[in-house]
Amino acid sequence: MHRDWPDILGGLALAAIGAAAAGWALAQYDIGTLRRMGPGFFPAALGGLLTVLGLVVALPALRRRSDAPGIEPLAALAVLAAILVFGLGLFRIGLVAATAAAVLVASLPAPRPGWGWRLALAAAIALLTVLVFGLGLRMSLPLWPRLP
């Protein structure tokens, strides 16, 4: 049994990224007040929240003991391939198809057999992506392939 290094290091990394983001926002932007928030208020608040969440992960892990986690190369490769599929496909096949394809690729090494749950998961995440980024945030991403 060893210390829970993945949680310790992961939590400290989150805390460091959050502190850096909050520090940058505080140094570069006007924070304003609660009644009239400046452009740096939201990034500083999110950075502070990420710092706290990182510490919530890291500090309890200092007392906890665990076995070293195993590395699953097929799962790691599938996640990297899914990121590549999404990045290369986004502007070629659109947000919906790129998201669905990335989910299908990432789910390939899953121990649960069958394609039904994979297709349902891909459809649900593609729908959620469209709702959040297309409709909610109104980002100008192509939802479908562009026809010539």
Side-chain angles (χ1 to χ4, degrees):
M1 296 282 267
H2 301 284
R3 286 201 182 272
D4 194 358
W5 287 110
D7 280 359
I8 293 169
L9 296 176
L12 290 177
L14 287 176
I17 291 169
W24 177 265
L26 291 170
Q28 299 295 321
Y29 300 111
D30 179 34
I31 299 300
T33 65
L34 282 176
R35 287 183 184 248
R36 193 169 181 100
M37 294 181 223
F41 188 88
F42 193 63
L46 285 180
L49 182 62
L50 185 59
T51 301
V52 169
L53 288 175
L55 293 175
V56 165
V57 170
L59 293 178
L62 288 173
R63 286 187 240 125
R64 190 170 49 236
R65 303 260 184 222
S66 75
D67 292 327
I71 296 175
E72 297 184 30
L74 289 178
L77 185 63
V79 169
L80 292 174
I83 293 169
L84 188 65
V85 164
F86 182 81
L88 293 175
L90 179 60
F91 291 104
R92 289 182 175 91
I93 61 175
L95 181 66
V96 174
T99 301
V103 170
L104 289 174
V105 169
S107 70
L108 286 176
R112 183 174 174 189
W115 283 95
W117 70 270
R118 286 180 170 94
L119 293 171
L121 181 65
I125 292 179
L127 175 65
L128 183 64
T129 303
V130 169
L131 291 175
V132 170
F133 295 104
L135 299 176
L137 297 174
R138 298 185 195 273
M139 293 181 73
S140 60
L141 295 170
L143 297 180
W144 306 103
R146 294 185 185 185
L147 299 174

